[in-house]
Amino acid sequence: MTRPRMPDERLTRTSDVGLSVDTDHLDSQRAMIDALNRECFCISLDAQALDRALESELGQRDLYALIRHRCPYLFAAQPVFVSDAHVQRMAQVVRAIESVIALPAYQQQVLERAPAVAHHDPGNRGVFFGYDFHLDHGHLGLIEINTNAGGAMLNAVLARAQRACCDAMAGMVPSLASVDAFELGIVAMFLNEWRLAGRTQPLRTIVIVDEAPEQQYLYPEFLLFQRLFERHGISAAIADPAALVLRAGTLWHNEKEVDLVYNRLTDFALEAPGSALLREAYLQRAVVLTPHPRAHALFADKRNLALLGDATSLQALGVSPRVQTMLLDSIPLTEVVDATHAERLWAERRELFFKPTTGFGGRAAYRGDKVTKRVWQDILTGNYVAQAMVAPGLRTIEQHEAIQTLKFDLRNYAYDGSVQWIAARLYQGQTTNFRTPGGGFAPVYSRPPDVTLP
């Protein structure tokens, strides 16, 4: 299940995906980036600055203690290095994908298999798309797209706690101005969602909704969002969907009207009994919901990668040749698991990764070489896709005076076709897990091409 390589081609400026990167330039930086990720043990995280940033952002010392207790492996001490050319390439892939998803023919094809609730178009786009890439020996592979990508505010705090420990790093540490701009962009994104949904009055109240939110691993991030909204004059609360009340066409929480729900539920189609009221409020337009079921169906259903990475399908949709080339080179070959192809897929399983079509967080996802006969039966009957294996990047770190190599992926937070921020996630195991000593979110340092390895 391998796709033939596309012919080498120098990509130039195009009207549909913007300025493309010379693919030879990617190769010229690969050795330098690999060497940095393998040999640089500089500690970029200033632990005391992180303490101060979290305490300042959260406003309460006990909340910071909660993070330290619940999430001991949330932040990595060392950065991940990525070339400027790869940063640009990921941004181009995001734009290319969104140009295809905007096509009426694509939307019609995808929505035909989506839950009925996804046919409701609320007008707004949905916040925090997450485009997750693996970087394997200089080649970028988009392994999945998410529509409620977590970690944005945590990475903003992490960026505020970075330091340059040598001259070579000085030009790569995120500036405080860039972090301020990122947070302002987050607020602007929610305000834009409000306007796109047709609301003309000021946005007054946001409720961050998840099931049993205080028990969620990333609950500290909910608190960071709450503080961010409140600093910009928007009342914010955190609630389980069961705490909401729909009355006379208005959604309420604690006797306060709710204008917008920032949806962190993983019940993407709002099908669970506990989501019924929120689903009704969404369909009645009693509240602006973001992200919403339509966004998930169009972007994050993993069956979409089988469409976006298939040359025949892209040509039938009328996608330009240059966008086709970019997507075919960047999306690992993906197919929907069909029991009629069970024998072939089982034979090829060592080169595949199996994921549930509406999965998240690596749950119930399996590397093919780890699949047992019992699990294989679950995959055949459980709505899965099979994706050609793209190895994650590797980052060597020093942990407790021992050298170890962790895997990493690259998460691009994006909105309306533009990348807002890039973060890495360091881990061991099959998927990212935030359970790895020395792992967690790591800042991405983009290596200028004219700086030599220290």
Side-chain angles (χ1 to χ4, degrees):
M1 187 177 164
T2 56
R3 178 192 292 121
R5 285 287 182 190
M6 300 300 295
D8 289 337
E9 177 182 6
R10 288 183 179 271
L11 301 176
T12 55
R13 184 179 296 274
T14 64
S15 60
D16 42 11
V17 297
L19 183 62
S20 296
V21 176
D22 183 342
T23 53
D24 289 344
H25 189 46
L26 292 174
D27 293 335
S28 70
Q29 294 188 36
R30 191 182 90 185
M32 180 186 298
I33 294 302
D34 286 349
L36 282 167
N37 283 324
R38 185 176 60 250
E39 300 172 15
C40 177
F41 300 109
C42 294
I43 302 296
S44 67
L45 177 61
D46 184 333
Q48 292 183 340
L50 180 64
D51 289 357
R52 292 192 298 270
L54 283 168
E55 186 174 358
S56 173
E57 292 282 342
L58 292 170
Q60 300 179 37
R61 185 69 186 176
D62 58 338
L63 295 178
Y64 171 54
L66 170 67
I67 292 181
R68 291 180 64 92
H69 173 71
R70 183 181 293 183
C71 314
Y73 307 126
L74 191 57
F75 299 115
Q78 292 162 296
V80 166
F81 295 94
V82 179
S83 72
D84 281 352
H86 282 125
V87 168
Q88 295 175 39
R89 181 69 170 188
M90 288 187 289
Q92 292 162 7
V93 172
V94 169
R95 290 196 297 272
I97 286 174
E98 299 213 7
S99 73
V100 175
I101 292 177
L103 296 173
Y106 169 90
Q107 296 192 12
Q108 180 180 356
Q109 185 170 338
V110 167
L111 292 174
E112 283 178 354
R113 67 178 182 221
V117 68
H119 292 253
H120 175 69
D121 186 356
N124 56 305
R125 298 181 56 83
V127 297
F128 287 123
F129 291 101
Y131 290 79
D132 295 344
F133 290 84
H134 278 180
L135 180 57
D136 180 22
H137 292 91
H139 183 263
L140 285 164
L142 177 69
I143 59 169
E144 63 184 47
I145 306 171
N146 299 284
T147 49
N148 62 351
M153 282 300 298
L154 293 167
N155 280 288
V157 174
L158 179 62
R160 294 187 189 280
Q162 297 298 301
R163 65 180 182 184
C165 59
C166 61
D167 291 341
M169 269 197 186
M172 294 184 283
V173 175
S175 67
L176 293 180
S178 69
V179 184
D180 289 342
F182 176 42
E183 291 186 344
L184 287 173
I186 290 173
V187 176
M189 173 175 63
F190 280 89
L191 293 173
N192 192 54
E193 289 289 283
W194 179 246
R195 289 189 293 268
L196 288 175
R199 310 303 171 97
T200 56
Q201 67 272 34
L203 175 58
R204 301 162 301 172
T205 58
I206 293 177
V207 176
I208 303 161
V209 170
D210 202 351
E211 183 180 0
E214 294 185 0
Q215 304 305 314
Q216 297 296 327
Y217 185 76
L218 291 185
Y219 174 66
E221 183 179 43
F222 299 170
L223 298 170
L224 292 171
F225 273 112
Q226 183 181 32
R227 302 295 190 269
L228 176 68
F229 296 141
E230 289 174 344
R231 288 201 301 272
H232 288 84
I234 303 171
S235 174
I238 303 167
D240 186 284
L244 304 174
V245 175
L246 182 60
R247 188 165 61 236
T250 300
L251 193 66
W252 297 80
H253 175 254
N254 288 346
E255 298 305 317
K256 180 178 287 188
E257 292 186 26
V258 179
D259 290 337
L260 182 147
V261 165
Y262 173 24
N263 177 22
R264 293 291 293 253
L265 292 167
T266 53
D267 176 20
F268 303 115
L270 303 178
E271 295 173 323
S275 304
L277 184 140
L278 185 58
R279 175 191 178 106
E280 186 61 26
Y282 167 64
L283 293 174
Q284 289 186 19
R285 300 184 185 272
V287 71
V288 175
L289 180 70
T290 184
H292 47 68
R294 185 181 182 89
H296 183 271
L298 293 175
F299 286 83
D301 186 315
K302 292 175 178 57
R303 291 173 294 184
N304 297 347
L305 291 178
L307 171 59
L308 292 166
D310 179 71
T312 302
S313 298
L314 293 174
Q315 188 169 0
L317 290 172
V319 176
S320 74
R322 291 190 181 276
V323 173
Q324 288 189 47
T325 298
M326 181 172 293
L327 297 186
L328 294 174
D329 185 60
S330 304
I331 299 175
L333 190 61
T334 306
E335 68 172 282
V336 178
V337 172
D338 187 329
T340 60
H341 300 146
E343 184 175 347
R344 172 177 60 82
L345 291 172
W346 176 257
E348 297 176 350
R349 69 189 183 282
R350 291 178 178 81
E351 305 299 324
L352 303 175
F353 206 100
F354 297 93
K355 304 177 183 181
T357 58
T358 58
F360 63 95
R363 299 185 184 184
Y366 303 98
R367 277 180 45 151
D369 58 355
K370 306 293 185 182
V371 170
T372 65
K373 283 286 189 178
R374 183 194 63 79
V375 170
W376 180 238
Q377 293 307 311
D378 294 339
I379 290 172
L380 290 177
T381 59
N383 296 319
Y384 272 72
V385 297
Q387 187 177 78
M389 192 80 72
V390 178
L394 298 176
R395 176 66 165 107
T396 304
I397 68 167
E398 187 173 8
Q399 174 75 5
H400 302 308
E401 299 183 354
I403 304 301
Q404 62 183 122
T405 300
L406 302 184
K407 304 171 185 177
F408 72 83
D409 70 356
L410 299 169
R411 167 160 288 183
N412 288 245
Y413 297 94
Y415 181 69
D416 196 17
S418 296
V419 174
Q420 302 158 296
W421 197 261
I422 305 174
R425 296 181 293 181
L426 290 169
Y427 65 99
Q428 287 179 331
Q430 292 194 59
T431 59
T432 54
N433 50 40
F434 297 103
R435 300 290 192 274
T436 302
F441 283 118
V444 169
Y445 284 8
S446 183
R447 188 71 180 174
D450 58 346
V451 177
T452 57
L453 181 65

